[in-house]
Every structure is written in structure tokens, then in C-alpha cells.
């Protein structure tokens, strides 16, 4: 995948309950090169779970998508990976295996980051999937290490490469850190030195300047952006410009932020199934830092219909304009959700 990541350098990370078709569409429009589905349970796929299969739907403007699956049973993972590949065909960019999710409900069942404690099992999973889908690149995403201050990522990456992984993504925190503290980008460099396959860097990329700095400091082939894209799809336009050596585009205005939030809500309203309640958290992210945002957040949590959301957007927009006119124009730039106070 060396050549692939020369032209696909900016990736929207897979995030459960976040990277559905609506957000993926908006991030693609702003310059994301690769988008990932939400995490897909291989076990649920094996039960023909329609709610889980629904996660594989393509987004508007999406020619291909990377699908991330999770589980801990090599045979099940391989069988369902083959089903995904056969079902999606050319729409599938590549298959990724989640080996980094620290959430208790995932890792507590032996999935996600729990695999970092058992490199042999993790390697068998990769090898099994590669054998089942020989024409589809298989990648994996993991963290600096499982236990605090015990870095295992470079050696873990070697094992995954030997098992057949075509690329690896590494997040610069230990599993036990969850999302606290800072990501250590040094581990991305060390993984880069340990393997010959492409390395994707992840962790604390909150601006275009951060994306450029990560590439320069670590030598990573691609940059994966996660929480900083929540309520802020513009980060991809900023990163695209920074990596191209061009000035970053102006930060969105108050009206542009609200307009994007409205479009996001509309896209969710068109999605199969009743997903509009997801907009409650997205709306709060879009409005972070705006005058009246704290009051609006409580109202968003009561919204059920598209009309409900638009009414709160109308109210907040009017209040914010009045506030800024009275107190002077303050920055309305979206704030990255990856800050340590989250």
C-alpha cells in the first residue's frame, strides 16, 4: 500500500457512534482522502445482525470506504471479513482490524485493545483474514502498548507485518491511558523504523499544522484524525492545505458553523433507521465555544425531529449574533474535541 498512501494521506478515524454516513460525507467534502466505517462487530455480522450490517452502507460522495471490524475469534473474523469483501466488492478500500479500542465493553470481552496482550492471537487473526481475502489489503490499528509505560507497539507492529498486515496505524497513548494525557508521537517514529509497511499516525492532531508536524517528525505515511473532526470537518481542509505547503483556509464563521450543523442534521434525517438523536452530541460539538452554547446544549438534548434541531439552531444563531455585536467579534472557530478536558 506504499503507493496508495502517497495519494491518500488524510484519514478520518473509525469512531463508534460517530463516523456514520453523515459525518463521512462532510469530511470527504472538506478533503478527507479515506473514511472508515464505525467499528463493525464480526460476531454480530455472523448472526446476520441487520443493525450491524447497516453500518456498511456507503455515504454520499463515497466511492470507497475502509471497514474496521473487531472481535477475537480468528475463524469468525476471517469468515465475516470474506463476507464483507464479497458484499462490498470494489467499494471496499481495505479491511482494518481494531486492536486499540480501550472501552471496557470492547476490551473486556477480549476484543479491541485486549489483543495487544496476546500478540500470538492478534497475529493469527491477521493471518486468517489475509488468507480469507487474498485480494483485499488488511490493516490493523493499535496503541503504544497496553500497560502504562510498557511500550510494545514496535514489536507488535513487526508481528502484524509478519502475519500479513499491509499497513499499520498506531495511536500514541497506552491503553490504560484511555484518552487522558498526551499522545507520544515518538512511538510512531519507532514503529516506522520497525516495519517496512506504511505506518499511519494517530493521536492529538487538532489542526492542519499538527498534521504537517506529525508527518515531518515521525515520517508516517498518513495521518488519521479522530476527535478533532467532531463538529469540525473543516480540519481536513486545513490539513490538506498544510500538507501541500499552502496557507490554511479561513476558519469557519458563525453562520458557516451553524449551516454545517444544519446540513449534518439533514443528512442524519435521511439515513436509514432512526438516527437523528445522534445529532444531539454533534450539535453540541459544532456549537462549542459559541455564546449561548451551554443553554442550547440542554435544548439539543430534547430534540427529536429535524424541525426541533433547526429551531434551536435559529435561536442560538440569533443570540450569538446579538452577543457578538454587543461585546465585539470573538473567534467563532470550532474547537477540537481531542482536548484533554474531554
Amino acid at each position: 500500500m506504499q503507493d496508495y498512501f502517497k495519494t491518500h494521506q488524510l484519514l478520518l478515524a473509525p469512531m463508534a457512534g460517530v463516523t456514520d454516513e453523515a459525518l463521512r460525507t462532510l469530511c470527504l467534502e472538506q478533503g478527507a482522502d479515506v473514511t472508515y466505517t464505525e467499528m463493525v462487530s464480526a460476531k454480530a455480522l455472523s448472526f446476520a445482525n441487520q443493525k450491524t450490517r447497516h453500518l456498511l452502507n456507503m455515504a454520499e460522495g463515497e466511492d470507497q470506504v475502509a471497514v474496521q471490524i473487531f472481535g477475537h475469534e480468528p475463524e469468525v473474523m476471517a469468515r465475516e471479513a470474506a463476507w464483507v469483501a464479497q458484499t462490498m466488492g470494489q467499494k471496499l478500500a481495505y479491511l482494518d482490524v481494531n486492536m486499540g479500542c480501550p472501552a471496557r465493553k470492547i476490551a473486556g470481552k477480549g476484543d479491541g485493545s485486549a489483543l495487544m496482550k496476546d500478540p500470538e492471537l492478534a497475529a493469527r487473526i491477521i493471518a486468517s483474514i489475509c488468507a480469507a481475502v487474498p485480494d483485499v489489503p488488511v490493516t490493523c490499528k493499535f496503541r503504544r502498548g497496553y500497560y502504562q509505560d510498557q511500550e510494545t507497539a514496535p514489536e507488535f507492529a513487526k508481528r502484524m507485518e509478519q502475519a500479513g498486515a499491509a499497513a499499520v496505524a498506531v495511536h500514541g497513548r497506552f491503553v490504560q491511558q484511555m484518552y487522558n494525557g498526551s499522545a507520544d508521537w515518538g512511538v510512531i517514529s519507532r514503529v516506522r523504523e520497525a516495519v517496512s509497511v506504511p505506518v499511519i499516525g494517530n493521536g492529538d492532531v487538532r489542526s492542519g499544522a499538527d498534521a504537517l508536524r506529525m508527518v515531518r517528525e515521525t515520517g508516517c505515511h498518513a495521518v488519521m484524525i479522530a476527535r478533532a473532526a467532531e463538529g469540525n470537518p473543516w480540519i481536513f481542509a486545513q490539513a490538506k492545505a498544510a500538507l501541500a505547503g499552502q496557507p490554511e483556509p479561513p476558519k469557519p464563521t458563525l453562520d458557516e458553523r451553524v449551516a454545517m450543523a444544519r446540513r449534518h442534521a439533514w443528512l442524519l434525517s435521511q439515513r436509514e433507521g432512526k438516527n437523528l438523536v445522534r445529532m444531539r452530541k454533534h450539535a453540541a460539538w459544532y456549537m462549542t465555544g459559541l455564546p449561548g452554547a451551554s443553554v442550547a446544549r440542554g435544548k439539543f438534548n430534547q430534540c427529536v425531529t429535524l424541525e426541533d434541531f433547526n429551531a434551536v439552531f435559529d435561536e442560538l444563531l440569533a443570540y450569538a449574533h446579538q452577543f457578538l455585536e454587543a461585546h465585539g467579534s470573538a473567534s467563532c472557530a470550532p474547537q477540537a474535541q481531542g482536548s484533554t478536558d474531554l
Side-chain angles (χ1 to χ4, degrees), residues 4 11-12 34 43 75 79 92 133 144 162 194-195 209 211 259 265 267 272 305 307 328 332 341:
Y4 182 85
L11 286 56
L12 172 64
V34 182
K43 179 66 76 174
E75 298 80 8
R79 183 177 67 245
L92 179 63
V133 290
R144 186 179 178 186
Q162 292 166 359
V195 299
L267 286 169
E272 180 184 342
T305 67
E307 291 72 22
C332 287
D341 61 344

Side-chain angles (χ1 to χ4, degrees), residues 7 13 32 51 59 71 92 99 110 198-200 209 211 255 272 290 312 331:
T7 55
K51 183 178 179 181
L92 179 63
M99 298 183 177
V199 174
I200 302 162
D255 292 89
E272 180 184 342
L290 291 183
V312 180
S331 172

Side-chain angles (χ1 to χ4, degrees), residues 54-118:
H54 172 55
L55 298 177
L56 302 177
N57 289 352
M58 300 293 287
E60 179 182 325
E62 201 169 53
D63 296 323
Q64 285 192 317
V65 66
V67 173
Q68 186 184 75
I69 60 176
F70 71 93
H72 64 271
E73 300 166 293
E75 298 80 8
V76 174
M77 297 281 280
R79 183 177 67 245
E80 299 312 315
W83 180 86
V84 170
Q86 181 179 14
T87 300
M88 299 192 69
Q90 294 300 312
K91 296 177 181 178
L92 179 63
Y94 51 90
L95 274 163
D96 185 72
V97 181
N98 185 302
M99 298 183 177
C101 180
R104 185 173 299 175
K105 64 181 181 181
I106 301 295
K109 297 178 180 178
D111 305 332
S113 62
L115 293 172
M116 293 202 73
K117 295 190 292 183
D118 192 345

Side-chain angles (χ1 to χ4, degrees), residues 93-157:
Y94 51 90
L95 274 163
D96 185 72
V97 181
N98 185 302
M99 298 183 177
C101 180
R104 185 173 299 175
K105 64 181 181 181
I106 301 295
K109 297 178 180 178
D111 305 332
S113 62
L115 293 172
M116 293 202 73
K117 295 190 292 183
D118 192 345
E120 288 291 342
L121 175 59
R124 290 206 308 275
I125 288 172
I126 293 295
S128 297
I129 295 175
C130 288
V133 290
D135 298 325
V136 177
V138 177
T139 67
C140 58
K141 183 175 185 290
F142 49 88
R143 286 191 163 217
R144 186 179 178 186
Y146 190 90
Y147 299 104
Q148 188 75 27
D149 299 325
Q150 294 184 27
E151 182 175 292
T152 60
E155 184 59 34
F156 190 86

